[in-house]
Amino acid sequence: MEEEVPRVELTPRAQELVRRLHATHGPLMFHQSGGCCDGSAPMCYPDGEFRTGGSDVLLAELSVPGVAEPVTFWISRSQYEAWRHTRLIVDVVPGRGSGFSLEAPEGVRFLTRSRVVDVQ
C-alpha cells in the first residue's frame, strides 16, 4: 500500500506560530495566491475572512497539535496548475511580510518552500 504524500506540511516553527495565532484569533485558514506582492508567502487569516471561490482550490486541511479544528490551506487555481507536482512546505522566517497576514506584527512571516513529488 502506497503512503499518500501530503500536499502541504507545516514545519515545527510554523506549527508553533499557528498555535499562537489560533490562541489570539481563533480558527485559521491559509491562502497561497499567485499575486505579485507576496506571491510566495501564504497569507494566514481568521477562518472565513478571505473569501474563496471557483478560482481557488482547497489543497489541504492541516492538523496542528494543540489546535482543535483543521487549518484549511487554499491556493489559487492558476498557482495550483503551476505547482501541482510539488509538496508545499510552510515555514517561518524573520522579517515582515504582508500587512494582511496575521503574523505581520510578530516580526516573522510565513514562507512557502516547495519540493517536487510524484502526486496524482
Side-chain angles (χ1 to χ4, degrees):
M1 181 176 187
E2 284 187 41
E3 185 176 322
E4 185 176 321
V5 175
R7 299 303 305 266
V8 181
E9 70 178 79
L10 300 174
T11 66
R13 286 186 302 224
Q15 288 182 24
E16 177 55 35
L17 183 54
V18 165
R19 281 190 286 276
R20 287 197 330 255
L21 294 173
H22 181 272
T24 302
H25 301 282
L28 302 172
M29 67 180 289
F30 281 98
H31 188 271
Q32 177 77 51
S33 74
C36 64
C37 300
D38 277 317
S40 64
M43 302 292 130
C44 183
Y45 302 99
D47 188 39
E49 187 169 299
F50 184 90
R51 291 187 64 149
T52 58
S55 62
D56 299 295
V57 174
L58 177 58
L59 196 56
E61 293 183 346
L62 302 167
S63 295
V64 178
V67 175
E69 60 282 314
V71 178
T72 57
F73 191 97
W74 294 84
I75 188 168
S76 68
R77 189 166 302 283
S78 61
Q79 196 79 348
Y80 173 75
E81 291 303 322
W83 289 4
R84 72 181 315 139
H85 298 292
T86 61
R87 174 195 283 168
L88 303 181
I89 303 161
V90 180
D91 200 1
V92 175
V93 296
R96 182 162 163 76
S98 169
F100 298 112
S101 194
L102 290 175
E103 82 281 3
E106 303 282 324
V108 295
R109 64 188 195 111
F110 289 108
L111 179 74
T112 299
R113 303 177 195 280
S114 62
R115 179 175 298 137
V116 175
V117 293
D118 183 26
V119 293
Q120 303 299 323

